Amino acid sequence: MDQILEQAIQALRQSRQIAVLTGAGVSKESGIPTFRDAIDGLWSRYDPTQLATPQAFRANPKLVWDFYEYRRQLMRPAQPNPGHVALAGLQQRYPTLRIITQNVDNLHERAGSTDVIRLHGSIAHNKCFFNCQGDPTPVDISQIEWDRDSGPPPCPYCGRWVRPAVVWFGEMLPRPMLLRALDLVTNCDLLLVVGTSGMVSPSSEMPAEAKARGALVIEINPDTSMISHLADLRLSAPSGVALPQLLNALTA
Ligand code: APR
C-alpha cells in the first residue's frame, strides 16, 4: 500500500487536470445509508421500483414523497467525513479539480467542494413534477404551508405535485450534467474514482472514457469493483483514510 500510495502522490503532483468520480462509498464513513440500506425496516416490503420511478410517484405520490422524507430524515444527522474534507482540500490545491458524484447527499458541498457535478441530483432539493416553468422547475418547500398528511406539497406555480429533485430509475440524467461530466473525464490527465461499485451507467463507463484518452485512473475502494480492472493504481482502503493521506503528503 505504501508504495502504491507513493506512486499515487507522484501522479497527483504531476497532474495538470484532475477529475474525481465518487459513489456511495465516499459517504459510508458519514453513516449515510445507501438507497439499498433505506429499503429496510418499514420500507422493506417495497421494491425500489415502487418508490423511485415517475410511474410509482404518479400511482402513489404520498408513498413516494414519504419515502424520500424518511431518507432525508436518515441523512440529516450525517456530517462530511475526512474523505469529503480531503477532496475539498485537494480542490483548494488544484482549483480546476472537479468532482462528479452519483450521490444525492450534498456532503461534498457541505465539506466545501464547489461546482460539484451531481449526476443523480440532490435529495435536499425539490422541483415541480411537471417542470411547469421549464426543466427543471426548482421549488423551495420551506416557503410552502401544506397538509403533510396529504402527501407532496403543491407546486407554487401550477398547484400540482412537487417531487424530490433526484434522478429516478428509468429517468435520463440531466443532460447538462452528463455533458459536463463527459467533458471533464475526457479532458483530464488523472481520474480519481472513489467509492463506487461501477455498476450503474453512464458513470460506470466514465473511467474507460478517461483511460481511452490517456488519463491515469486511480481507484480508492476497500473492495474491488467493476472498474478495478481499469485502474492503473488501486488504494485498497476506506476513502476517509486514503484521501487525507494523499492530501497530507501533497501539502507537507
Ligand atoms: N470508502 C470507499 N469506498 C467504499 C467504502 C469506503 N469507506 N465503503 C464501501 N465502499 C465501496 C464499496 O466497496 C462499493 O464498491 O463503495 C461502493 C459503493 O457501491 P454502491 O453502493 O453500488 O454505490 P454506487 O456505486 O454509488 O451506486 C451507484 O446506484 O443505488 C444506485 O443511484 C444509486 O447512485 C447510486 C448508484
Side-chain angles (χ1 to χ4, degrees):
M1 167 72 168
D2 288 349
Q3 192 206 345
I4 297 174
L5 186 66
E6 196 44 53
Q7 287 172 353
I9 293 161
Q10 287 315 321
L12 282 161
R13 279 209 176 94
Q14 287 148 20
S15 170
R16 291 285 158 272
Q17 183 59 49
I18 301 171
V20 184
L21 173 65
T22 66
V26 81
S27 294
K28 205 81 174 187
E29 290 151 270
S30 297
I32 287 271
T34 62
F35 179 88
R36 296 171 183 88
D37 294 337
I39 311 269
D40 67 0
L42 67 162
W43 297 95
S44 57
R45 64 180 181 277
Y46 298 100
D47 77 40
T49 55
Q50 279 186 300
L51 297 168
T53 63
Q55 296 77 6
F57 187 79
R58 279 183 185 280
N60 192 337
K62 176 170 171 38
L63 175 74
V64 175
W65 180 263
D66 288 352
F67 174 60
Y68 276 85
E69 285 297 274
Y70 169 67
R71 285 188 66 203
R72 292 187 244 239
Q73 178 205 339
L74 289 180
M75 285 185 177
R76 211 152 279 142
Q79 295 299 321
N81 67 57
H84 294 109
V85 174
L87 282 175
L90 275 176
Q91 189 178 42
Q92 296 281 330
R93 193 177 191 292
Y94 298 94
T96 60
L97 179 150
R98 289 297 177 271
I99 297 173
I100 302 156
T101 189
Q102 302 170 80
N103 300 339
V104 296
D105 57 33
N106 282 8
L107 289 179
H108 285 306
E109 292 90 339
R110 286 176 54 198
S113 292
T114 57
D115 193 17
V116 177
I117 291 89
R118 295 195 295 242
L119 292 176
H120 295 166
S122 161
I123 201 167
H125 298 91
N126 295 285
K127 65 179 186 178
C128 173
F129 180 75
F130 298 92
N131 282 326
C132 62
Q133 305 301 308
D135 184 5
T137 298
V139 172
D140 177 0
I141 64 169
S142 66
Q143 309 301 318
I144 302 176
E145 286 293 317
W146 85 99
D147 168 14
R148 290 168 186 265
D149 290 336
S150 68
C155 170
Y157 304 104
C158 70
R160 295 176 291 177
W161 301 312
V162 169
R163 58 164 280 185
V166 296
V167 178
W168 277 334
F169 290 103
E171 286 188 313
M172 300 290 285
L173 270 59
R175 191 154 176 73
M177 292 291 180
L178 184 56
L179 294 176
R180 183 96 201 282
L182 289 173
D183 179 52
L184 286 166
V185 297
T186 52
N187 289 292
C188 70
D189 59 18
L190 194 156
L191 177 67
L192 207 44
V193 183
V194 189
T196 180
S197 58
M199 287 196 299
V200 172
S201 70
S203 41
S204 54
E205 283 116 46
M206 290 179 187
E209 294 285 339
K211 197 168 177 79
R213 286 167 178 78
L216 193 79
V217 175
I218 300 177
E219 181 179 37
I220 298 178
N221 192 327
D223 305 317
T224 53
S225 72
M226 300 285 277
I227 67 107
S228 296
H229 66 289
L230 281 171
D232 297 288
L233 294 171
R234 262 188 51 72
L235 298 175
S236 181
S239 46
V241 171
L243 286 167
Q245 285 177 330
L246 290 175
L247 180 67
N248 294 340
L250 289 165
T251 46

